[in-house]
Amino acid sequence: MPKRSEEMLTDVWTSLLLVWITCVPYTSMTPIISQSKSLQTGSTALLRGLVEGQRILSRAKRGWVWNQMFVLEEFSGPDPILVGRLHTDLDVGSTPIKYVLAGEGAGTIFAINEITGDIHAMKRLDREEKAEYTLTAQVTNRDTDQPLEPPSEFIIKVQDINDNPPQFVEGPYRASVPEMSQVGTSVTRVTATDADDPVYGNSAKLVYSILEGQPYFSIDPNTAIIKIALHGMDREMREEYLVVIQAKDMGGHMGGLSGTTTVTVTLTDVNDNPPKFSKSLYEFVIPEELGIGQPGGKVKANDRDIGENAKSTYNIIDGDEKDVFEITTDAQTQEGILRLKKPLNFETKKSYTLKVEAANIRFDPNSGAPFKDTATVKIAVEDSDEPPVFSKPTFVLQVDENAPINTVIGTVTARDPDVTGSLVRYFIDRHTDLERQFNINVDDGKITLAKPLDRETDMWHNITVTATEIRNHSQISRAIVAIRVLDINDNAPEFATEYEAFLCENGKPGQVIQTVSAVDKDDPIQGHYFEYRLIPEMLNNPNFTIKNNGDNSISVLAKHDTFRRQKQEMYFLPIIVTDNGNPPMSSTNTLTIRVCGCSREGIVQSCNVEAYVLPIGLSMGALIAILACIILLLVIVVLFVTLRRHKNKPLIIKDDEDVRENIIRYDDEGGGEEDTEAFDIATLQNPDGINGYLPRKDIKPDLQFMPRQSGGPNGVDNNCTTEWPSSHISTHHPDNQR
């Protein structure tokens, strides 16, 4: 009741103030009797005193009589509204005066009666557009327009009325507050503005209230701060709230204008919920051939929180053989992925039981809430048809080189790990044994030798053996078999290189001619030891001897210094080299020794006998070049002489050299004289005689052309030949038969 009485009293005083403001302009325009007759002096002194703010102790005389003028905004009516009236002491009725108005809005917004000085507002005014107008008034002689006193300024103020509602310029608003906040926790603050005059009256005095949003939120009516009004607001129950805020002017009293806005309040998440498994028991069936690291199942603990507050980590905290499995967290789905760490074996263990825990990553340890949950996981191992398993992943076998065919090198074994236990067959992958040097028994896995082996060619042989189930040929496993070829002493030692020694003629007895070493392709375990000796025929060699150096090498030494190239240029020294194998192997190698001419320092200069007999300064190459030139000249001379002799020889063959050849054609049917034709070879030798026979000078003309012998039925004797002198040869040429 006291508060209600106070509001009523405030309303009464407000009404009286409005009445006084309305009446003051009219009463202030009443003329005041002044003792001063000087308009100019009085008005000037008054204005100076107002500008300088000085205290006027004695009022000066003035010509103008008025106070500040006011006009209500938004006033509308059929006639212009009277703002006020101007009056001067000069206006006594006898002097023709005229009132003149100038300044802001003069003639458009404000008009003055030239005779009475009444000022009217011609238009509706809006204080929010312009709150006051500064004008100038002056009195002139109506007849002459001469000013009767200086101009004077005055102000017309637009009086505010409550015509603008409050507005939330920045709305609508969004705000957030943590869930489970205490009552009174500040959420946000809203701000409304009112275009009315905040100084005059209560038109701009705002009061805030909530239209929608109770009982969750409250607002301070003066500061507009929104606060939590309800305890235990849970985001998981409701995340967003819409609050409607009202701002009302006139101090919230009746008749005031109002404006509204909305505030969307979101409750932010706090970690107030633990993870929770959807069920307490998970069961999975995992095949025993599941690979290491492969997922075998998934579990999920749901958390009603969001973001980081909902993230959990999973661990296996209990169970049999925990080291067989591991559990990881999927960052996207927040699921626990159960993975295999060790291979499963149905024949060894058929099931597993694990206890899995899910715990929040972020939580307040002081809250006392258990931000974790547990579940049981049972895993059943499913039996699979597995391939055979070798007893060892790699087998290492040994065999002597040159071992006989079908020698058993070793055995590989494999078994079927399944409960049914299928039989296994063995094979050699021939891609790893292209030369087919080995065989294997398909039933028991015994590996035998198919071809002789030579350690000096290949010391190791790596083959792949496969084991296959009889009942399921697709189940195959592989193992590597490394076969080492053991060395036997089957190679004789020999010289490390093809030695050629040089012996100086002027050497001393006992000088080392050559150091000889040997190599052996075999590789005995105890190492090599070579024995060198001369062949039995050379044991008493008068020229050379050998000395053992103790490092598997020997030195060949000369016995005397009487070696001469003219006597013997080259010596051959057979040496027998024997190893220490079982049985020992030996070979005979020949060392070639050349006798050479050397300088005094023992440097070899020449090793050829020809070089010894050549003149000093003439080398063997020069001698060969000279001989080649001489031979070439002799060949040219012989050719030249031969050509000359052939050029002088006559073209016609002499009597003693004349050889004529009759080529006779035989015709079995007989053709008379046409059966035979004689060709004179001289015609071929002498082209000039093509068109006729040349007569011979050494034969009589009647004998040059003898008549043909007739015989046979056709006048031709097929069994006879033409007779010529003894210097002629008659032949039967088979190439001319037709």
Side-chain angles (χ1 to χ4, degrees):
M1 290 301 293
K3 184 175 181 180
R4 180 62 181 168
S5 301
E6 183 179 353
E7 290 179 356
M8 294 178 61
L9 182 61
T10 303
D11 292 341
V12 171
W13 280 106
T14 301
S15 302
L16 293 176
L17 181 62
L18 289 175
V19 172
W20 180 80
I21 292 173
T22 305
C23 297
V24 164
Y26 298 97
T27 57
S28 62
M29 289 184 294
T30 304
I32 300 174
I33 300 175
S34 176
Q35 300 298 326
S36 173
K37 299 295 184 180
S38 175
L39 177 62
Q40 181 176 1
T41 304
S43 61
T44 302
L46 180 59
L47 290 175
R48 184 180 300 113
L50 292 174
V51 172
E52 297 178 358
Q54 296 177 354
R55 182 180 180 183
I56 303 175
L57 299 178
S58 59
R59 182 175 179 181
K61 294 182 179 181
R62 48 168 291 182
W64 292 100
V65 179
W66 65 43
N67 286 328
Q68 192 174 24
M69 297 182 183
F70 296 88
V71 60
L72 283 174
E73 66 170 336
E74 305 295 343
F75 182 82
S76 61
D79 298 323
I81 182 173
L82 178 63
V83 178
R85 175 178 294 175
L86 301 179
H87 184 74
T88 178
D89 294 343
L90 299 178
D91 187 7
V92 294
S94 59
T95 303
I97 62 174
K98 181 176 67 174
Y99 294 94
V100 179
L101 187 66
E104 295 177 340
T108 57
I109 299 176
F110 301 101
I112 190 170
N113 190 314
E114 297 180 351
I115 298 175
T116 62
D118 293 337
I119 300 175
H120 291 82
M122 310 300 295
K123 298 180 179 180
R124 293 179 57 182
L125 301 180
D126 189 357
R127 190 199 68 83
E128 285 70 41
E129 291 183 3
K130 192 172 180 62
E132 61 181 29
Y133 297 86
T134 302
L135 296 101
T136 302
Q138 191 175 23
V139 178
T140 61
N141 190 304
R142 187 183 307 118
D143 297 332
T144 62
D145 287 334
Q146 293 294 324
L148 300 180
E149 57 184 24
S152 179
E153 288 184 354
F154 66 97
I155 296 174
I156 298 179
K157 288 189 175 183
V158 181
Q159 191 173 6
D160 181 53
I161 64 173
N162 190 20
D163 60 342
N164 290 282
Q167 293 182 354
F168 293 91
V169 180
E170 298 178 359
Y173 297 86
R174 297 193 68 88
S176 61
V177 64
E179 63 174 331
M180 298 297 178
S181 296
Q182 298 294 326
V183 175
T185 301
S186 176
V187 178
T188 187
R189 179 179 181 178
V190 296
T191 302
T193 59
D194 196 322
D196 293 326
D197 191 356
V199 178
Y200 179 76
N202 294 327
S203 298
K205 185 178 181 182
L206 305 179
V207 175
Y208 299 90
S209 61
I210 291 181
L211 300 182
E212 294 181 18
Q214 296 93 350
Y216 308 105
F217 303 95
S218 63
I219 188 171
D220 187 288
N222 298 317
T223 62
I225 296 177
I226 301 175
K227 300 178 181 180
I228 295 292
L230 185 64
H231 178 74
M233 297 179 65
D234 190 0
R235 185 201 65 83
E236 287 72 36
M237 298 298 295
R238 182 177 177 182
E239 184 176 3
E240 194 172 83
Y241 297 83
L242 183 65
V243 182
V244 179
I245 303 298
Q246 181 190 63
K248 189 174 184 180
D249 59 12
M250 296 298 294
H253 296 296
M254 186 178 299
L257 303 178
S258 64
T260 59
T261 188
T262 59
V263 181
T264 302
V265 181
T266 302
L267 298 182
T268 59
D269 184 62
V270 297
N271 192 15
D272 58 341
N273 292 280
K276 186 69 176 177
F277 283 104
S278 57
K279 51 186 178 179
S280 60
L281 176 63
Y282 293 85
E283 294 181 336
F284 302 107
V285 178
I286 301 178
E288 64 174 329
E289 73 268 15
L290 184 69
I292 301 299
Q294 295 298 317
K298 297 179 180 180
V299 297
K300 178 68 179 294
N302 299 310
D303 195 321
R304 298 177 63 190
D305 297 321
I306 59 175
E308 294 293 326
N309 297 325
K311 291 184 178 181
S312 299
T313 180
Y314 297 87
N315 293 288
I316 299 175
I317 60 175
D318 196 8
D320 49 350
E321 299 190 28
K322 295 185 296 181
D323 55 347
V324 177
F325 297 93
E326 65 177 354
I327 189 167
T328 59
T329 304
D330 189 323
Q332 300 296 328
T333 62
Q334 287 298 303
E335 292 177 318
I337 311 298
L338 201 64
R339 300 181 186 274
L340 197 62
K341 292 177 62 178
K342 292 183 179 180
L344 298 176
N345 191 339
F346 175 81
E347 291 72 27
T348 303
K349 190 173 179 60
K350 297 179 176 58
S351 63
Y352 296 86
T353 301
L354 305 174
K355 188 174 184 180
V356 178
E357 179 187 76
N360 278 152
I361 297 176
R362 295 176 54 183
F363 66 94
D364 185 6
N366 299 322
S367 62
F371 288 90
K372 58 182 65 176
D373 192 19
T374 58
T376 302
V377 178
K378 288 188 176 181
I379 300 171
V381 181
E382 182 182 29
D383 187 24
S384 301
D385 190 6
E386 300 176 81
V389 178
F390 281 95
S391 58
K392 293 187 292 186
T394 302
F395 295 85
V396 179
L397 306 178
Q398 294 181 347
V399 60
D400 291 333
E401 64 175 327
N402 297 331
I405 304 300
N406 295 327
T407 298
V408 177
I409 301 173
T411 304
V412 296
T413 57
R415 65 175 184 85
D416 184 7
D418 298 323
V419 177
T420 55
S422 172
L423 295 177
V424 177
R425 293 291 178 89
Y426 303 92
F427 302 93
I428 293 178
D429 186 353
R430 292 303 177 183
H431 292 91
T432 61
D433 184 25
L434 297 176
E435 298 181 2
R436 294 182 175 269
Q437 294 176 299
F438 306 96
N439 290 325
I440 190 170
N441 190 301
V442 296
D443 296 320
D444 57 14
K446 288 183 179 180
I447 299 175
T448 58
L449 192 63
K451 291 182 180 180
L453 302 178
D454 186 5
R455 190 201 67 86
E456 286 70 42
T457 302
D458 288 308
M459 186 181 300
W460 285 91
H461 296 270
N462 294 321
I463 62 174
T464 299
V465 175
T466 61
T468 307
E469 290 184 8
I470 294 179
R471 67 178 183 183
N472 187 358
H473 296 294
S474 62
Q475 295 296 334
I476 302 174
S477 58
R478 290 172 170 81
I480 296 175
V481 179
I483 301 174
R484 180 184 179 184
V485 182
L486 300 178
D487 183 45
I488 64 173
N489 194 29
D490 59 344
N491 291 279
E494 56 187 12
F495 280 176
T497 184
E498 186 176 349
Y499 294 103
E500 186 176 11
F502 299 95
L503 174 62
C504 293
E505 290 180 315
N506 57 352
K508 299 178 180 180
Q511 70 175 1
V512 177
I513 301 172
Q514 181 70 43
T515 300
V516 177
S517 61
V519 293
D520 194 333
K521 293 181 180 179
D522 296 322
D523 187 16
I525 299 175
Q526 64 274 16
H528 289 291
Y529 177 77
F530 300 126
E531 179 184 352
Y532 301 84
R533 68 180 184 275
L534 298 177
I535 61 175
E537 295 81 2
M538 291 286 185
L539 290 178
N540 297 321
N541 191 307
N543 299 316
F544 307 100
T545 184
I546 61 175
K547 183 185 72 173
N548 195 334
N549 296 327
D551 57 355
N552 279 340
S553 67
I554 60 171
S555 297
V556 180
L557 294 80
K559 285 188 175 183
H560 57 83
D561 58 354
T562 59
F563 296 97
R564 295 294 180 267
R565 283 178 288 174
Q566 296 82 1
K567 180 179 178 182
Q568 186 172 346
E569 179 187 2
M570 190 176 300
Y571 294 88
F572 299 98
L573 184 63
I575 301 175
I576 300 175
V577 186
T578 306
D579 61 18
N580 60 334
N582 185 19
M585 301 290 291
S586 63
S587 65
T588 302
N589 301 266
T590 301
L591 175 65
T592 302
I593 303 174
R594 290 181 179 274
V595 180
C596 303
C598 303
S599 64
R600 293 181 179 179
E601 292 78 11
I603 300 175
V604 177
Q605 293 182 337
S606 176
C607 297
N608 297 327
V609 177
E610 294 81 357
Y612 183 79
V613 298
L614 286 177
I616 298 175
L618 187 60
S619 64
M620 179 61 68
L623 179 61
I624 293 173
I626 293 173
L627 291 175
C629 292
I630 293 173
I631 294 172
L632 182 61
L633 289 174
L634 290 175
V635 172
I636 293 174
V637 170
V638 172
L639 291 176
F640 180 75
V641 172
T642 304
L643 292 175
R644 291 288 294 176
R645 291 182 64 185
H646 281 284
K647 185 175 182 182
N648 296 331
K649 187 176 181 179
L651 297 176
I652 300 176
I653 303 174
K654 297 181 180 181
D655 293 343
D656 55 353
E657 297 177 355
D658 190 11
V659 178
R660 294 189 177 179
E661 180 181 9
N662 282 339
I663 303 174
I664 301 173
R665 181 183 66 194
Y666 293 91
D667 191 347
D668 294 339
E669 297 179 358
E673 295 179 356
E674 295 178 357
D675 288 344
T676 60
E677 286 184 6
F679 296 92
D680 190 358
I681 195 64
T683 303
L684 299 176
Q685 293 178 346
N686 186 9
D688 296 335
I690 294 176
N691 298 325
Y693 293 99
L694 295 177
R696 295 186 60 176
K697 296 179 181 181
D698 56 344
I699 303 176
K700 294 179 181 182
D702 55 346
L703 296 177
Q704 290 187 17
F705 303 99
M706 296 181 66
R708 298 177 180 174
Q709 300 293 330
S710 61
N714 296 328
V716 177
D717 189 0
N718 295 332
N719 298 321
C720 66
T721 59
T722 304
E723 294 182 359
W724 297 92
S726 59
S727 60
H728 302 114
I729 300 174
S730 176
T731 62
H732 172 67
H733 203 292
D735 293 338
N736 290 308
Q737 293 183 4
R738 295 184 181 178

